[in-house]
Amino acid sequence: MNSQAIRDKVAIVGMGCCKFGENWDKDPQDMIVEAAYEAYADAGIDDPQKQIEAVFCGAQYPSKGTAEVADALKLYDRPVSMVVNYCATGTDAFRYGVFAVACGMYDTVLVVGFDKPKDRGVSGPSVAVTGVRGLPATPAGWFSHVAARYFDTFGAGREDLARIAVKNHHNGTLAPKSMLKREITIEDALNARMISWPFGLYDCAAQSDGAAAAIITRRELAKGYRDDFALVRGIGISLSADPKEDPSFDFLRWKPTEAAAKQVYEQAGITNPRKEIHVAQVHDCFTLTELLAYEDLGFCEKGSAKEHIKSGTFELTGELPVNTDGGLKTFGHPTGATGVRMIYENYKQLQGKAEGRQIKNATVGLSHNIGGAPQACGVCIIAMP
Amino acid sequence: MVGITSFGAYIPYLRLPLSAISGGKRTDGGPEKAVANWDEDALTLAVAAGIDCLTGIDRKTIDGVLFASTSYAFKEKQGAAIVAKALDLRRDVLTADLGDSLRAGTNALRAAIDSIKAGSAERVLVVIGDTRMAAPRSALEANLGDAGVAFLVGDTDVAASITASHAVTDEIIDVWRTEGDPFVHSWEDRFVVDHGYRSSVKEVVAGLLKKQALEPKDFTRLVLFGPDKRSHGALARELRFDPTSQLQDAMFGQIGNCGAAFAPLQLVAALENATAGDKLLLVGYGDGADAFALEVAPGIEKLRDRRGVRWHLKRRAELPSYDMYMRFRQLLATEHDRRASAGLSATKHFRDRDYEVSLHAQKCRKCSQVQYPHQRVCFTCFAKDEFDHVRLSDQIGSLKSFTFDNFAGSPNPPLVATVTDISGARLYLQMTDVNPKEVKLDLPVELTFRKIHDAGGTPNYYWKCTPAR
């Protein structure tokens, strides 16, 4: 394997993101068109029918599959493919696009991630019972299984989680496209009703609808679109065993994050993530998921996250700001859209277009998703040339 | 001589104070009844009693299973077959269900005795479970309770030989329940007691004593079905047994009338306190009556480790409210009724029976890693198809992790979800019969067979963990 084969070969020249939220009045078509046309405009693409050569889509619960994107954008008579990979779906769709461009087959492709969970009529995930094993099947229940042993081993607790929720709620107030724009306090978080211990309401990401899109091209062609393009420095996906079945699991980490981070750091040549990455969007489906990501991504030593949370390392003003747009916490989590939305935020940060939440001199940004039991992780690093 | 070679019992963890039914003032130590948890039914109570009964016994030596209940969920689909699979018995066991009468439990005992006498089996497991319901807040409701009982019947190493039996049958409209009706009904109690209970019991006891040329004073204990405490004591006196020294306590105000399991459960309580040479008279009632004379043998001493009645009476927790009981029994409408959803795939169930009903894990022949659920390739050494089955249901596990899930749709939230290590395998299991305050890392747990949900309108069974007690 040649880990560096992908480094800086592919450029992002345009991105778009619709407003995330309970988009009762919008079809998937509406959100896909908004995101794609913003990306077209951003890239200066005026004739997508000619300029977009292939489409890579990501959605966890599409109603029609690839046709949902092709029909919305009228991008027919060319390759349109769809990826499903749990919460890493958006990142993985982007990854397929990157490899398709890097191999030289296509000059310019469109990546679209979207999901529309709010058409299901329930506020949480739907639980269709087809068996007796593996129940209860609630994501909060799954992701909370690391809590007891992690807390016991490293002395962290619900207040550390609350600080993450407070940070992300604050950051979300500064992001125009976030769903929740409301500051909360540590007390709000600690006193909210319990969803699945130790997760209270504010420890959980909201559910929302959304779509995000990217236009990518070979590095050599990027200048033809814009000067301030961003390069894909590394992108990886990794799967691990179901942590509820894995006989070797220690309940102190999420293995897929460690494995995906290793792939991507090798690709990007990163050895000291906290110094070499300037801004990060990590998967905060639950506050503890973000806490573990700090450690599993190597931003800090295993067990030390609580110290960094207290000292503000990951706040907007800290050494390595995380979830600068408020994360899943304030955007919600339309599964297929989230990974692409995170790359959108990093792209805006690297270009200096992140307004009130702008991180100074950020030239390297990391995004991270983890999902399923959780078993699947995607990590992507983009950087200015 | 044919007799009982082992026994077991199961009384649900939860008790409903009778004052909660009437809405009256609650007093500590007041009368109560044992009620099945929301994940229990007649079949799971029977399985739990069967597990107690088979403690230390090689399950491959069992030749037959008779399951008795008046409240088993299926009208067509055999309960004994589920019991046999849950208890991981041989495939060539004789199985049959007995039901439709309060006497189903003693009927099953009689059938087991006769099959052994006939030479068609050597060891037959009788399991009995009942969770009868009367209409909410009816007089009958306070009278009923839930329990399970099991006996292993054989003709070697008996703990109590069965020296005689007698039966009478009677056609009477005393208690009944028709298809589609969840509630048991009863005619006026004085009629039922005088012309059903007293009449049939006197006839069967007289018949047995006469056949064996025995007198009431020949018995150490009378183990007698009883519709209520007063009638129970009065009939014992009428039969010329001393209610104080001879009549087995029917645990009124503690468990309740547990239907087909009622007299058998009292027999377990009697056997717990019996010593070799004691003579017991067991009388079951329902559409007539069954009587059995038993003589306790020295083998009783090997059964002192059974949980039986004594242990289960001590293990108890009170249900906080009558509303909670109504939710458990699905007598209150809920927003998302799982019964309406599609339910299990029968083909998936068919493929997973060993793993999900018998709770088998696989042990790798190359690296010895025990793993769950069913795998083709080893988690640890990646060997392909090199597995032996191992039963986990009788092992003690420990909690690797847990959470309290308020979102999972339990009638008694939060639902305790765990990852439990059993022999090195990891199982994602719900925890039941537990106060959340008891839950901690590395807590030892045992396995219990439960109704995991009733999606599709049928009970669907799987294993849960509960603190090892």
Side-chain angles (χ1 to χ4, degrees):
Chain A
M1 186 165 62
N2 178 3
S3 286
Q4 275 89 49
I6 200 68
R7 186 200 281 181
D8 295 342
K9 296 271 173 37
V10 176
I12 307 172
V13 293
M15 288 203 76
C17 180
C18 82
K19 175 128 180 15
F20 279 36
E22 293 176 326
N23 293 335
W24 312 120
D25 57 347
K26 289 193 174 86
D27 281 338
Q29 168 174 240
D30 296 318
M31 303 190 301
I32 290 164
V33 166
E34 277 178 42
Y37 277 72
E38 183 190 336
Y40 294 160
D42 185 43
I45 285 182
D46 47 19
D47 189 358
Q49 292 295 338
K50 286 220 174 69
Q51 291 167 276
I52 302 297
E53 294 168 349
V55 185
F56 295 89
C57 321
Q60 183 72 19
Y61 348 83
S63 55
K64 301 195 289 192
T66 44
E68 214 145 351
V69 174
D71 289 349
L73 301 173
K74 304 297 177 294
L75 290 173
Y76 300 125
D77 307 320
R78 73 202 76 200
V80 181
S81 300
M82 180 162 275
V83 178
V84 181
N85 209 340
Y86 306 98
C87 301
T89 293
T91 300
D92 209 8
F94 185 81
R95 177 172 162 272
Y96 275 74
V98 166
F99 281 102
V101 168
C103 82
M105 182 80 190
Y106 309 109
D107 288 345
T108 302
V109 307
L110 172 70
V111 176
V112 179
F114 69 98
D115 260 313
K116 184 83 180 106
K118 298 306 293 185
D119 272 1
R120 294 182 302 170
V122 291
S123 62
S126 69
V127 178
V129 173
T130 57
V132 295
R133 206 179 60 224
L135 298 171
T138 68
W142 295 335
F143 279 83
S144 57
H145 269 286
V146 277
R149 200 160 292 274
Y150 183 91
F151 287 177
D152 187 64
T153 305
F154 297 119
R158 289 198 68 221
E159 198 172 314
D160 301 304
L161 304 186
R163 289 178 197 276
I164 292 174
V166 169
K167 167 182 77 74
N168 288 350
H169 267 271
H170 169 72
N171 295 357
T173 64
L174 305 171
K177 289 176 175 174
S178 70
M179 172 166 75
L180 303 177
K181 291 189 170 58
R182 187 179 147 230
E183 302 274 359
I184 62 161
T185 64
I186 289 176
E187 289 68 36
D188 291 336
L190 292 176
N191 296 330
R193 72 184 166 96
M194 265 297 161
I195 303 297
S196 194
W197 181 90
F199 302 153
L201 184 67
Y202 291 110
D203 291 297
C204 305
Q207 265 208 331
S208 67
D209 307 319
I215 313 275
I216 55 181
T217 189
R218 280 201 307 283
R219 181 181 187 159
E220 310 85 271
L221 305 175
K223 278 276 181 208
Y225 289 97
R226 68 186 317 131
D227 291 334
D228 57 347
F229 58 86
L231 293 172
V232 178
R233 189 143 288 172
I235 187 160
I237 289 280
S238 194
L239 263 284
S240 298
D242 184 333
K244 304 187 296 302
E245 297 173 355
D246 177 0
S248 67
F249 188 53
D250 66 4
F251 294 91
L252 300 175
R253 68 196 74 242
W254 292 127
K255 285 181 176 179
T257 298
E258 293 181 327
K262 186 167 179 289
Q263 287 175 23
V264 173
Y265 292 155
E266 277 176 24
Q267 292 169 12
I270 284 178
T271 54
N272 185 348
R274 192 157 88 231
K275 301 286 176 216
E276 296 173 66
I277 293 162
H278 308 136
V279 59
Q281 317 304 325
V282 311
H283 204 79
D284 62 323
C285 51
F286 305 99
T287 45
L288 180 60
T289 318
E290 176 166 333
L291 183 151
L292 285 188
Y294 299 153
E295 300 175 358
D296 298 340
L297 289 167
F299 296 172
C300 61
E301 291 292 304
K302 181 53 65 186
S304 71
K306 64 176 198 300
E307 322 298 342
H308 289 275
I309 291 166
K310 287 200 182 80
S311 67
T313 302
F314 306 116
E315 290 174 14
L316 283 182
T317 51
E319 184 183 354
L320 171 48
V322 172
N323 288 334
T324 48
D325 64 359
L328 281 67
K329 175 72 258 193
T330 67
F331 270 78
H333 183 29
T335 317
T338 294
V340 184
R341 186 268 301 160
M342 289 176 163
I343 295 170
Y344 175 87
E345 171 66 6
N346 280 340
Y347 172 77
K348 294 292 178 192
Q349 287 284 356
L350 268 46
Q351 290 178 331
K353 296 178 180 167
E355 300 170 353
R357 62 192 190 283
Q358 181 64 48
I359 307 306
K360 278 190 196 129
N361 306 320
T363 60
V364 180
L366 177 145
S367 56
H368 156 264
N369 301 112
I370 179 165
Q375 293 188 254
C377 177
V379 174
C380 176
I381 295 176
I382 65 172
M384 296 313 272
Chain B
M1 179 71 84
V2 176
I4 289 168
T5 62
S6 179
F7 63 76
Y10 180 81
I11 300 163
Y13 176 59
L14 295 172
R15 307 290 193 276
L16 181 65
L18 299 190
S19 59
I21 302 178
S22 62
K25 196 164 177 289
R26 191 149 174 180
T27 47
D28 276 348
E32 61 187 21
K33 59 184 232 168
V35 292
N37 208 334
W38 62 274
D39 56 4
E40 294 181 305
D41 66 8
L43 183 121
T44 69
L45 303 189
V47 168
I51 289 171
D52 188 30
C53 181
L54 294 181
T55 306
I57 291 170
D58 179 1
R59 298 189 186 190
K60 297 302 168 204
T61 65
I62 311 300
D63 302 315
V65 181
L66 301 177
F67 169 54
S69 177
T70 67
S71 49
Y72 170 55
F74 286 95
K75 282 288 154 199
E76 180 169 341
K77 178 169 170 52
Q78 195 185 55
I82 305 175
V83 172
K85 189 68 181 162
L87 294 176
D88 198 21
L89 305 182
R90 298 194 321 257
R91 273 189 70 82
D92 64 335
V93 285
L94 171 84
T95 54
D97 285 2
L98 293 93
D100 304 340
S101 171
L102 283 174
R103 214 156 32 112
T106 48
N107 288 160
L109 189 58
R110 175 70 180 260
I113 294 163
D114 289 348
S115 70
I116 289 161
K117 281 186 177 164
S120 75
E122 289 180 12
R123 297 177 115 185
V124 176
L125 180 68
V126 173
V127 291
I128 311 161
D130 247 338
T131 54
R132 296 155 77 226
M133 270 200 296
R137 301 192 197 278
S138 63
L140 190 55
E141 186 183 41
N143 193 24
L144 305 183
D146 304 330
V149 192
F151 298 107
L152 189 58
V153 180
D155 59 4
T156 50
D157 301 324
V158 299
S161 55
I162 294 161
T163 53
S165 56
H166 188 60
V168 297
T169 188
D170 192 32
E171 156 53 19
I172 183 169
I173 300 173
D174 56 349
V175 288
W176 68 92
R177 182 167 73 87
T178 53
E179 177 142 18
D181 185 346
F183 305 126
V184 176
H185 302 278
S186 171
W187 200 260
E188 197 175 338
D189 54 357
R190 284 184 304 283
F191 164 74
V192 171
V193 168
D194 285 347
H195 293 284
Y197 175 61
R198 279 179 61 216
S199 154
S200 287
V201 168
K202 281 159 70 178
E203 188 179 345
V204 82
V205 170
L208 185 122
L209 294 182
K210 190 175 170 202
K211 225 169 18 182
Q212 298 296 309
L214 289 167
E215 296 280 330
K217 65 175 168 49
D218 296 330
F219 289 94
T220 325
R221 284 252 166 236
L222 170 63
V223 178
L224 176 63
F225 178 95
D228 61 83
K229 191 173 172 68
R230 201 175 56 172
S231 313
H232 185 244
L235 183 54
R237 264 191 299 276
E238 204 174 336
L239 292 168
R240 294 185 293 118
F241 285 80
D242 177 19
T244 317
S245 64
Q246 281 178 294
L247 182 61
Q248 177 64 35
D249 178 7
M251 299 169 281
F252 292 108
Q254 289 180 282
I255 298 169
N257 179 346
C258 44
F262 193 20
L265 187 74
Q266 294 177 52
L267 177 59
V268 168
L271 289 169
E272 285 172 350
N273 292 308
T275 51
D278 284 359
K279 290 187 173 63
L280 313 177
L281 177 61
L282 167 69
V283 184
Y285 169 75
D287 310 288
D290 284 330
F292 304 82
L294 297 95
E295 184 168 341
V296 178
I300 195 75
E301 297 304 328
K302 290 187 203 153
L303 303 177
R304 298 300 184 204
D305 62 350
R306 296 300 185 264
R307 287 178 168 182
V309 171
R310 189 187 298 130
W311 185 92
H312 281 105
L313 274 180
K314 282 191 216 142
R315 182 200 73 140
R316 57 182 288 290
E318 268 184 29
L319 254 181
S321 71
Y322 188 71
D323 267 12
M324 182 81 74
Y325 167 77
M326 299 267 279
R327 277 207 291 278
F328 284 10
R329 292 293 165 273
Q330 297 175 318
L331 297 172
L332 291 179
T334 55
E335 189 178 7
H336 298 291
D337 190 334
R338 263 215 180 131
R339 289 174 291 186
S341 72
L344 300 197
S345 158
T347 51
K348 191 171 179 304
H349 169 80
F350 169 76
R351 294 193 299 270
D352 288 338
R353 290 174 297 177
D354 287 353
Y355 312 103
E356 295 182 351
V357 186
S358 302
L359 203 68
H360 282 186
Q362 295 164 290
K363 183 172 185 177
C364 180
R365 293 187 198 115
K366 301 279 184 202
C367 74
S368 300
Q369 177 71 53
V370 179
Q371 46 209 284
Y372 187 90
H374 173 56
Q375 310 293 331
R376 294 287 303 275
V377 176
C378 177
F379 259 116
T380 304
C381 75
F382 314 118
K384 176 173 163 286
D385 295 328
E386 290 282 350
F387 294 109
D388 294 314
H389 279 213
V390 291
R391 180 171 64 228
L392 299 184
S393 65
D394 51 356
Q395 304 295 309
I396 297 293
S398 80
L399 293 193
K400 297 305 290 186
S401 76
F402 58 82
T403 184
F404 305 108
D405 197 329
N406 284 288
F407 208 74
S410 158
N412 185 12
L415 194 156
V416 184
T418 76
V419 177
T420 296
D421 185 296
I422 310 170
S423 306
R426 301 288 176 83
L427 285 79
Y428 184 50
L429 296 173
Q430 295 176 31
M431 189 177 233
T432 189
D433 291 348
V434 65
N435 180 335
K437 291 194 177 86
E438 292 177 83
V439 180
K440 56 176 201 274
L441 288 174
D442 307 315
L443 181 76
V445 294
E446 57 188 56
L447 283 308
T448 177
F449 192 67
R450 296 294 168 119
K451 185 175 72 177
I452 199 87
H453 54 65
D454 43 21
T458 65
N460 302 300
Y461 300 104
Y462 186 55
W463 295 84
K464 293 188 179 182
C465 64
T466 188
R469 315 247 185 206

